[in-house]
Amino acid sequence: MESIRRDRLESFVSLLKSEGRHGVLGLDCGAGVDGLHFVQSGIHFTGVDMSEESIRAARARGLEASVAGPESLPFADAAFSSVWAVDALSGLPPEQWDDVVRELGRVAEPGAPIAVVLPVPDPRGGGDNRDDNRDDSGGDSGGDSQGDRFTVLRSPA
């Protein structure tokens, strides 16, 4: 696991433990590397990914995981006490980001932490301003060498 990602994951695990949260939804969970870290830290992990191959690999690690897309998750409202979605937005077009973040808020308990990386759109596409480091969500943000912003949002109360 790369250093920046490991630091983000460990920081999020610490946050969950400090708030007494014992479960996390992992969106775009891949083969379950992060999920395994959550489980080893004593936090129940439920993963989803659009790739059947990734889900098979995550299940082979003993994780609870299922095939699902980020815009329509197969879970009840407020089903999770936290969400780890750091890879979820990077592969999507910017016009889908708001819908995915709304869906994450739907499946998260009120006030639950939702970890995401907010990619910075290509400035040639007329998107976001790369120099704008504000975090309008009220979360904790910090950039990295790729120009993205890691932040912890809170689901609506």
Side-chain angles (χ1 to χ4, degrees), residues 12 15-16 19 21 23-25 78-84 101 104-115 137 152-157:
F12 194 64
L15 173 68
L16 299 185
E19 293 184 4
R21 298 181 185 274
V24 63
L25 169 64
F80 296 94
S81 62
S82 65
V83 178
W84 177 254
V101 171
L104 296 176
R106 182 190 68 78
V107 300
E109 294 175 352
I114 301 171
S137 67
V152 177
L153 308 171
R154 293 288 175 163
S155 65

PDB file of all heavy atoms in Angstrom, residues 12 15-16 19 21 23-25 78-84 101 104-115 137 152-157:
ATOM      1  N   PHE A  12      -8.323   7.423   8.965  1.00  0.00           N
ATOM      2  CA  PHE A  12      -9.762   7.182   8.949  1.00  0.00           C
ATOM      3  C   PHE A  12     -10.136   6.110   9.971  1.00  0.00           C
ATOM      4  O   PHE A  12     -11.127   6.254  10.691  1.00  0.00           O
ATOM      5  CB  PHE A  12     -10.215   6.789   7.540  1.00  0.00           C
ATOM      6  CG  PHE A  12     -11.706   6.834   7.346  1.00  0.00           C
ATOM      7  CD1 PHE A  12     -12.406   8.031   7.432  1.00  0.00           C
ATOM      8  CD2 PHE A  12     -12.416   5.680   7.063  1.00  0.00           C
ATOM      9  CE1 PHE A  12     -13.786   8.078   7.248  1.00  0.00           C
ATOM     10  CE2 PHE A  12     -13.788   5.713   6.880  1.00  0.00           C
ATOM     11  CZ  PHE A  12     -14.479   6.915   6.972  1.00  0.00           C
ATOM     12  N   LEU A  15     -10.224   7.727  13.281  1.00  0.00           N
ATOM     13  CA  LEU A  15     -11.441   8.526  13.418  1.00  0.00           C
ATOM     14  C   LEU A  15     -12.627   7.633  13.776  1.00  0.00           C
ATOM     15  O   LEU A  15     -13.395   7.937  14.695  1.00  0.00           O
ATOM     16  CB  LEU A  15     -11.730   9.293  12.128  1.00  0.00           C
ATOM     17  CG  LEU A  15     -13.065  10.036  12.080  1.00  0.00           C
ATOM     18  CD1 LEU A  15     -13.068  11.203  13.058  1.00  0.00           C
ATOM     19  CD2 LEU A  15     -13.348  10.511  10.668  1.00  0.00           C
ATOM     20  N   LEU A  16     -12.767   6.513  13.055  1.00  0.00           N
ATOM     21  CA  LEU A  16     -13.887   5.608  13.318  1.00  0.00           C
ATOM     22  C   LEU A  16     -13.836   5.083  14.748  1.00  0.00           C
ATOM     23  O   LEU A  16     -14.851   5.053  15.447  1.00  0.00           O
ATOM     24  CB  LEU A  16     -13.886   4.444  12.329  1.00  0.00           C
ATOM     25  CG  LEU A  16     -14.039   4.803  10.854  1.00  0.00           C
ATOM     26  CD1 LEU A  16     -14.150   3.537  10.017  1.00  0.00           C
ATOM     27  CD2 LEU A  16     -15.219   5.715  10.611  1.00  0.00           C
ATOM     28  N   GLU A  19     -14.847   7.645  17.322  1.00  0.00           N
ATOM     29  CA  GLU A  19     -16.286   7.914  17.324  1.00  0.00           C
ATOM     30  C   GLU A  19     -17.111   6.668  17.662  1.00  0.00           C
ATOM     31  O   GLU A  19     -18.335   6.716  17.634  1.00  0.00           O
ATOM     32  CB  GLU A  19     -16.716   8.464  15.960  1.00  0.00           C
ATOM     33  CG  GLU A  19     -16.137   9.827  15.673  1.00  0.00           C
ATOM     34  CD  GLU A  19     -16.641  10.432  14.369  1.00  0.00           C
ATOM     35  OE1 GLU A  19     -17.508   9.818  13.706  1.00  0.00           O
ATOM     36  OE2 GLU A  19     -16.168  11.528  14.021  1.00  0.00           O
ATOM     37  N   ARG A  21     -17.398   3.884  15.930  1.00  0.00           N
ATOM     38  CA  ARG A  21     -18.024   3.314  14.727  1.00  0.00           C
ATOM     39  C   ARG A  21     -17.369   1.973  14.429  1.00  0.00           C
ATOM     40  O   ARG A  21     -16.157   1.866  14.419  1.00  0.00           O
ATOM     41  CB  ARG A  21     -17.904   4.278  13.562  1.00  0.00           C
ATOM     42  CG  ARG A  21     -18.624   5.593  13.846  1.00  0.00           C
ATOM     43  CD  ARG A  21     -18.551   6.565  12.707  1.00  0.00           C
ATOM     44  NE  ARG A  21     -19.134   7.833  13.062  1.00  0.00           N
ATOM     45  CZ  ARG A  21     -20.413   8.140  12.964  1.00  0.00           C
ATOM     46  NH1 ARG A  21     -21.271   7.253  12.507  1.00  0.00           N
ATOM     47  NH2 ARG A  21     -20.854   9.330  13.313  1.00  0.00           N
ATOM     48  N   GLY A  23     -18.374  -0.242  11.695  1.00  0.00           N
ATOM     49  CA  GLY A  23     -18.620  -0.780  10.361  1.00  0.00           C
ATOM     50  C   GLY A  23     -18.342   0.254   9.301  1.00  0.00           C
ATOM     51  O   GLY A  23     -18.439   1.457   9.550  1.00  0.00           O
ATOM     52  N   VAL A  24     -17.988  -0.223   8.103  1.00  0.00           N
ATOM     53  CA  VAL A  24     -17.690   0.681   6.998  1.00  0.00           C
ATOM     54  C   VAL A  24     -18.116   0.028   5.680  1.00  0.00           C
ATOM     55  O   VAL A  24     -17.958  -1.170   5.488  1.00  0.00           O
ATOM     56  CB  VAL A  24     -16.188   1.060   6.963  1.00  0.00           C
ATOM     57  CG1 VAL A  24     -15.304  -0.145   6.714  1.00  0.00           C
ATOM     58  CG2 VAL A  24     -15.910   2.154   5.949  1.00  0.00           C
ATOM     59  N   LEU A  25     -18.668   0.862   4.806  1.00  0.00           N
ATOM     60  CA  LEU A  25     -18.925   0.449   3.428  1.00  0.00           C
ATOM     61  C   LEU A  25     -17.723   0.881   2.612  1.00  0.00           C
ATOM     62  O   LEU A  25     -17.327   2.044   2.656  1.00  0.00           O
ATOM     63  CB  LEU A  25     -20.182   1.134   2.875  1.00  0.00           C
ATOM     64  CG  LEU A  25     -20.400   0.987   1.361  1.00  0.00           C
ATOM     65  CD1 LEU A  25     -20.638  -0.468   0.981  1.00  0.00           C
ATOM     66  CD2 LEU A  25     -21.546   1.872   0.897  1.00  0.00           C
ATOM     67  N   ALA A  78     -29.299   4.857   5.428  1.00  0.00           N
ATOM     68  CA  ALA A  78     -28.624   4.872   6.735  1.00  0.00           C
ATOM     69  C   ALA A  78     -28.126   3.493   7.180  1.00  0.00           C
ATOM     70  O   ALA A  78     -28.077   3.198   8.363  1.00  0.00           O
ATOM     71  CB  ALA A  78     -29.538   5.485   7.800  1.00  0.00           C
ATOM     72  N   ALA A  79     -27.727   2.647   6.232  1.00  0.00           N
ATOM     73  CA  ALA A  79     -27.302   1.279   6.549  1.00  0.00           C
ATOM     74  C   ALA A  79     -25.888   1.194   7.122  1.00  0.00           C
ATOM     75  O   ALA A  79     -25.553   0.196   7.758  1.00  0.00           O
ATOM     76  CB  ALA A  79     -27.394   0.407   5.300  1.00  0.00           C
ATOM     77  N   PHE A  80     -25.053   2.225   6.928  1.00  0.00           N
ATOM     78  CA  PHE A  80     -23.649   2.136   7.330  1.00  0.00           C
ATOM     79  C   PHE A  80     -23.246   3.288   8.242  1.00  0.00           C
ATOM     80  O   PHE A  80     -23.653   4.426   8.042  1.00  0.00           O
ATOM     81  CB  PHE A  80     -22.741   2.121   6.092  1.00  0.00           C
ATOM     82  CG  PHE A  80     -22.955   0.902   5.244  1.00  0.00           C
ATOM     83  CD1 PHE A  80     -23.831   0.945   4.164  1.00  0.00           C
ATOM     84  CD2 PHE A  80     -22.332  -0.288   5.537  1.00  0.00           C
ATOM     85  CE1 PHE A  80     -24.059  -0.183   3.390  1.00  0.00           C
ATOM     86  CE2 PHE A  80     -22.551  -1.425   4.781  1.00  0.00           C
ATOM     87  CZ  PHE A  80     -23.416  -1.374   3.703  1.00  0.00           C
ATOM     88  N   SER A  81     -22.384   2.969   9.208  1.00  0.00           N
ATOM     89  CA  SER A  81     -21.928   3.996  10.142  1.00  0.00           C
ATOM     90  C   SER A  81     -20.754   4.802   9.599  1.00  0.00           C
ATOM     91  O   SER A  81     -20.358   5.802  10.209  1.00  0.00           O
ATOM     92  CB  SER A  81     -21.561   3.372  11.500  1.00  0.00           C
ATOM     93  OG  SER A  81     -20.498   2.462  11.360  1.00  0.00           O
ATOM     94  N   SER A  82     -20.199   4.376   8.446  1.00  0.00           N
ATOM     95  CA  SER A  82     -19.140   5.139   7.778  1.00  0.00           C
ATOM     96  C   SER A  82     -18.970   4.603   6.357  1.00  0.00           C
ATOM     97  O   SER A  82     -19.448   3.519   6.031  1.00  0.00           O
ATOM     98  CB  SER A  82     -17.822   5.030   8.545  1.00  0.00           C
ATOM     99  OG  SER A  82     -17.335   3.697   8.529  1.00  0.00           O
ATOM    100  N   VAL A  83     -18.276   5.401   5.523  1.00  0.00           N
ATOM    101  CA  VAL A  83     -18.050   5.008   4.134  1.00  0.00           C
ATOM    102  C   VAL A  83     -16.611   5.359   3.744  1.00  0.00           C
ATOM    103  O   VAL A  83     -16.150   6.477   4.004  1.00  0.00           O
ATOM    104  CB  VAL A  83     -19.026   5.711   3.165  1.00  0.00           C
ATOM    105  CG1 VAL A  83     -18.735   5.321   1.721  1.00  0.00           C
ATOM    106  CG2 VAL A  83     -20.476   5.400   3.526  1.00  0.00           C
ATOM    107  N   TRP A  84     -15.929   4.407   3.125  1.00  0.00           N
ATOM    108  CA  TRP A  84     -14.581   4.605   2.571  1.00  0.00           C
ATOM    109  C   TRP A  84     -14.739   4.535   1.057  1.00  0.00           C
ATOM    110  O   TRP A  84     -14.997   3.478   0.501  1.00  0.00           O
ATOM    111  CB  TRP A  84     -13.648   3.507   3.074  1.00  0.00           C
ATOM    112  CG  TRP A  84     -12.257   3.541   2.545  1.00  0.00           C
ATOM    113  CD1 TRP A  84     -11.727   2.694   1.616  1.00  0.00           C
ATOM    114  CD2 TRP A  84     -11.196   4.427   2.923  1.00  0.00           C
ATOM    115  NE1 TRP A  84     -10.407   3.006   1.392  1.00  0.00           N
ATOM    116  CE2 TRP A  84     -10.051   4.070   2.184  1.00  0.00           C
ATOM    117  CE3 TRP A  84     -11.110   5.505   3.803  1.00  0.00           C
ATOM    118  CZ2 TRP A  84      -8.838   4.741   2.302  1.00  0.00           C
ATOM    119  CZ3 TRP A  84      -9.898   6.156   3.929  1.00  0.00           C
ATOM    120  CH2 TRP A  84      -8.788   5.778   3.187  1.00  0.00           C
ATOM    121  N   VAL A 101     -21.873  11.153  -4.556  1.00  0.00           N
ATOM    122  CA  VAL A 101     -21.756  11.652  -3.186  1.00  0.00           C
ATOM    123  C   VAL A 101     -23.130  11.671  -2.505  1.00  0.00           C
ATOM    124  O   VAL A 101     -23.256  11.305  -1.331  1.00  0.00           O
ATOM    125  CB  VAL A 101     -21.083  13.042  -3.151  1.00  0.00           C
ATOM    126  CG1 VAL A 101     -21.169  13.662  -1.767  1.00  0.00           C
ATOM    127  CG2 VAL A 101     -19.615  12.920  -3.587  1.00  0.00           C
ATOM    128  N   LEU A 104     -23.885   8.125  -1.483  1.00  0.00           N
ATOM    129  CA  LEU A 104     -23.119   7.756  -0.294  1.00  0.00           C
ATOM    130  C   LEU A 104     -23.777   8.334   0.957  1.00  0.00           C
ATOM    131  O   LEU A 104     -23.872   7.654   1.984  1.00  0.00           O
ATOM    132  CB  LEU A 104     -21.677   8.255  -0.412  1.00  0.00           C
ATOM    133  CG  LEU A 104     -20.858   7.640  -1.538  1.00  0.00           C
ATOM    134  CD1 LEU A 104     -19.477   8.281  -1.608  1.00  0.00           C
ATOM    135  CD2 LEU A 104     -20.762   6.131  -1.415  1.00  0.00           C
ATOM    136  N   GLY A 105     -24.244   9.574   0.868  1.00  0.00           N
ATOM    137  CA  GLY A 105     -24.961  10.181   1.990  1.00  0.00           C
ATOM    138  C   GLY A 105     -26.240   9.449   2.322  1.00  0.00           C
ATOM    139  O   GLY A 105     -26.629   9.364   3.486  1.00  0.00           O
ATOM    140  N   ARG A 106     -26.894   8.899   1.320  1.00  0.00           N
ATOM    141  CA  ARG A 106     -28.139   8.146   1.535  1.00  0.00           C
ATOM    142  C   ARG A 106     -27.891   6.876   2.335  1.00  0.00           C
ATOM    143  O   ARG A 106     -28.642   6.548   3.253  1.00  0.00           O
ATOM    144  CB  ARG A 106     -28.783   7.783   0.199  1.00  0.00           C
ATOM    145  CG  ARG A 106     -30.117   7.035   0.365  1.00  0.00           C
ATOM    146  CD  ARG A 106     -30.639   6.474  -0.947  1.00  0.00           C
ATOM    147  NE  ARG A 106     -29.835   5.388  -1.480  1.00  0.00           N
ATOM    148  CZ  ARG A 106     -29.859   4.115  -1.052  1.00  0.00           C
ATOM    149  NH1 ARG A 106     -30.623   3.762  -0.035  1.00  0.00           N
ATOM    150  NH2 ARG A 106     -29.107   3.194  -1.628  1.00  0.00           N
ATOM    151  N   VAL A 107     -26.833   6.127   1.999  1.00  0.00           N
ATOM    152  CA  VAL A 107     -26.596   4.845   2.667  1.00  0.00           C
ATOM    153  C   VAL A 107     -25.851   4.991   3.991  1.00  0.00           C
ATOM    154  O   VAL A 107     -25.735   4.028   4.739  1.00  0.00           O
ATOM    155  CB  VAL A 107     -25.871   3.828   1.754  1.00  0.00           C
ATOM    156  CG1 VAL A 107     -26.694   3.542   0.508  1.00  0.00           C
ATOM    157  CG2 VAL A 107     -24.467   4.274   1.415  1.00  0.00           C
ATOM    158  N   ALA A 108     -25.353   6.196   4.277  1.00  0.00           N
ATOM    159  CA  ALA A 108     -24.637   6.437   5.529  1.00  0.00           C
ATOM    160  C   ALA A 108     -25.603   6.950   6.600  1.00  0.00           C
ATOM    161  O   ALA A 108     -26.558   7.661   6.304  1.00  0.00           O
ATOM    162  CB  ALA A 108     -23.526   7.459   5.303  1.00  0.00           C
ATOM    163  N   GLU A 109     -25.342   6.568   7.835  1.00  0.00           N
ATOM    164  CA  GLU A 109     -26.123   7.080   8.961  1.00  0.00           C
ATOM    165  C   GLU A 109     -25.982   8.603   9.019  1.00  0.00           C
ATOM    166  O   GLU A 109     -24.976   9.149   8.574  1.00  0.00           O
ATOM    167  CB  GLU A 109     -25.587   6.506  10.280  1.00  0.00           C
ATOM    168  CG  GLU A 109     -25.763   5.034  10.443  1.00  0.00           C
ATOM    169  CD  GLU A 109     -25.103   4.504  11.721  1.00  0.00           C
ATOM    170  OE1 GLU A 109     -24.378   5.272  12.403  1.00  0.00           O
ATOM    171  OE2 GLU A 109     -25.322   3.329  12.016  1.00  0.00           O
ATOM    172  N   PRO A 110     -26.953   9.290   9.607  1.00  0.00           N
ATOM    173  CA  PRO A 110     -26.816  10.739   9.759  1.00  0.00           C
ATOM    174  C   PRO A 110     -25.531  11.103  10.508  1.00  0.00           C
ATOM    175  O   PRO A 110     -25.228  10.529  11.548  1.00  0.00           O
ATOM    176  CB  PRO A 110     -28.054  11.123  10.575  1.00  0.00           C
ATOM    177  CG  PRO A 110     -29.056  10.054  10.242  1.00  0.00           C
ATOM    178  CD  PRO A 110     -28.245   8.793  10.086  1.00  0.00           C
ATOM    179  N   GLY A 111     -24.772  12.017   9.930  1.00  0.00           N
ATOM    180  CA  GLY A 111     -23.525  12.463  10.534  1.00  0.00           C
ATOM    181  C   GLY A 111     -22.338  11.533  10.352  1.00  0.00           C
ATOM    182  O   GLY A 111     -21.263  11.794  10.879  1.00  0.00           O
ATOM    183  N   ALA A 112     -22.525  10.458   9.600  1.00  0.00           N
ATOM    184  CA  ALA A 112     -21.444   9.487   9.407  1.00  0.00           C
ATOM    185  C   ALA A 112     -20.307  10.073   8.574  1.00  0.00           C
ATOM    186  O   ALA A 112     -20.536  10.835   7.645  1.00  0.00           O
ATOM    187  CB  ALA A 112     -21.990   8.238   8.712  1.00  0.00           C
ATOM    188  N   PRO A 113     -19.064   9.700   8.900  1.00  0.00           N
ATOM    189  CA  PRO A 113     -17.936  10.141   8.081  1.00  0.00           C
ATOM    190  C   PRO A 113     -17.889   9.379   6.757  1.00  0.00           C
ATOM    191  O   PRO A 113     -18.098   8.167   6.716  1.00  0.00           O
ATOM    192  CB  PRO A 113     -16.715   9.827   8.950  1.00  0.00           C
ATOM    193  CG  PRO A 113     -17.156   8.741   9.864  1.00  0.00           C
ATOM    194  CD  PRO A 113     -18.635   8.912  10.056  1.00  0.00           C
ATOM    195  N   ILE A 114     -17.624  10.121   5.683  1.00  0.00           N
ATOM    196  CA  ILE A 114     -17.520   9.554   4.338  1.00  0.00           C
ATOM    197  C   ILE A 114     -16.189  10.023   3.759  1.00  0.00           C
ATOM    198  O   ILE A 114     -16.026  11.205   3.455  1.00  0.00           O
ATOM    199  CB  ILE A 114     -18.679  10.024   3.440  1.00  0.00           C
ATOM    200  CG1 ILE A 114     -20.030   9.628   4.039  1.00  0.00           C
ATOM    201  CG2 ILE A 114     -18.514   9.466   2.023  1.00  0.00           C
ATOM    202  CD1 ILE A 114     -21.227  10.232   3.322  1.00  0.00           C
ATOM    203  N   ALA A 115     -15.233   9.121   3.632  1.00  0.00           N
ATOM    204  CA  ALA A 115     -13.912   9.464   3.114  1.00  0.00           C
ATOM    205  C   ALA A 115     -13.914   9.356   1.595  1.00  0.00           C
ATOM    206  O   ALA A 115     -14.260   8.311   1.045  1.00  0.00           O
ATOM    207  CB  ALA A 115     -12.853   8.539   3.696  1.00  0.00           C
ATOM    208  N   SER A 137     -17.072  21.277   2.227  1.00  0.00           N
ATOM    209  CA  SER A 137     -17.865  20.237   2.863  1.00  0.00           C
ATOM    210  C   SER A 137     -17.774  20.267   4.376  1.00  0.00           C
ATOM    211  O   SER A 137     -18.520  19.582   5.057  1.00  0.00           O
ATOM    212  CB  SER A 137     -17.379  18.868   2.389  1.00  0.00           C
ATOM    213  OG  SER A 137     -16.066  18.639   2.889  1.00  0.00           O
ATOM    214  N   VAL A 152     -12.923  14.187   4.387  1.00  0.00           N
ATOM    215  CA  VAL A 152     -13.923  13.397   5.106  1.00  0.00           C
ATOM    216  C   VAL A 152     -15.175  14.263   5.172  1.00  0.00           C
ATOM    217  O   VAL A 152     -15.200  15.272   5.873  1.00  0.00           O
ATOM    218  CB  VAL A 152     -13.454  12.964   6.497  1.00  0.00           C
ATOM    219  CG1 VAL A 152     -14.569  12.220   7.225  1.00  0.00           C
ATOM    220  CG2 VAL A 152     -12.208  12.094   6.402  1.00  0.00           C
ATOM    221  N   LEU A 153     -16.163  13.885   4.400  1.00  0.00           N
ATOM    222  CA  LEU A 153     -17.462  14.547   4.405  1.00  0.00           C
ATOM    223  C   LEU A 153     -18.288  13.967   5.545  1.00  0.00           C
ATOM    224  O   LEU A 153     -17.942  12.929   6.107  1.00  0.00           O
ATOM    225  CB  LEU A 153     -18.173  14.294   3.079  1.00  0.00           C
ATOM    226  CG  LEU A 153     -17.417  14.607   1.794  1.00  0.00           C
ATOM    227  CD1 LEU A 153     -18.191  14.088   0.588  1.00  0.00           C
ATOM    228  CD2 LEU A 153     -17.166  16.082   1.668  1.00  0.00           C
ATOM    229  N   ARG A 154     -19.399  14.584   5.838  1.00  0.00           N
ATOM    230  CA  ARG A 154     -20.353  14.032   6.814  1.00  0.00           C
ATOM    231  C   ARG A 154     -21.692  13.909   6.112  1.00  0.00           C
ATOM    232  O   ARG A 154     -22.128  14.815   5.404  1.00  0.00           O
ATOM    233  CB  ARG A 154     -20.504  14.940   8.027  1.00  0.00           C
ATOM    234  CG  ARG A 154     -19.268  15.030   8.892  1.00  0.00           C
ATOM    235  CD  ARG A 154     -19.066  13.749   9.654  1.00  0.00           C
ATOM    236  NE  ARG A 154     -17.806  13.780  10.393  1.00  0.00           N
ATOM    237  CZ  ARG A 154     -17.522  12.961  11.373  1.00  0.00           C
ATOM    238  NH1 ARG A 154     -18.408  12.043  11.763  1.00  0.00           N
ATOM    239  NH2 ARG A 154     -16.366  13.003  11.978  1.00  0.00           N
ATOM    240  N   SER A 155     -22.348  12.770   6.327  1.00  0.00           N
ATOM    241  CA  SER A 155     -23.671  12.600   5.727  1.00  0.00           C
ATOM    242  C   SER A 155     -24.629  13.580   6.400  1.00  0.00           C
ATOM    243  O   SER A 155     -24.418  13.987   7.538  1.00  0.00           O
ATOM    244  CB  SER A 155     -24.147  11.159   5.873  1.00  0.00           C
ATOM    245  OG  SER A 155     -24.341  10.854   7.230  1.00  0.00           O
ATOM    246  N   PRO A 156     -25.683  13.960   5.676  1.00  0.00           N
ATOM    247  CA  PRO A 156     -26.644  14.918   6.254  1.00  0.00           C
ATOM    248  C   PRO A 156     -27.261  14.384   7.528  1.00  0.00           C
ATOM    249  O   PRO A 156     -27.574  13.204   7.649  1.00  0.00           O
ATOM    250  CB  PRO A 156     -27.714  15.060   5.154  1.00  0.00           C
ATOM    251  CG  PRO A 156     -27.062  14.580   3.911  1.00  0.00           C
ATOM    252  CD  PRO A 156     -26.040  13.563   4.324  1.00  0.00           C
ATOM    253  N   ALA A 157     -27.417  15.271   8.496  1.00  0.00           N
ATOM    254  CA  ALA A 157     -27.997  14.881   9.791  1.00  0.00           C
ATOM    255  C   ALA A 157     -29.502  14.866   9.718  1.00  0.00           C
ATOM    256  O   ALA A 157     -30.115  15.453   8.911  1.00  0.00           O
ATOM    257  CB  ALA A 157     -27.545  15.831  10.879  1.00  0.00           C
TER     258      ALA A 157
END
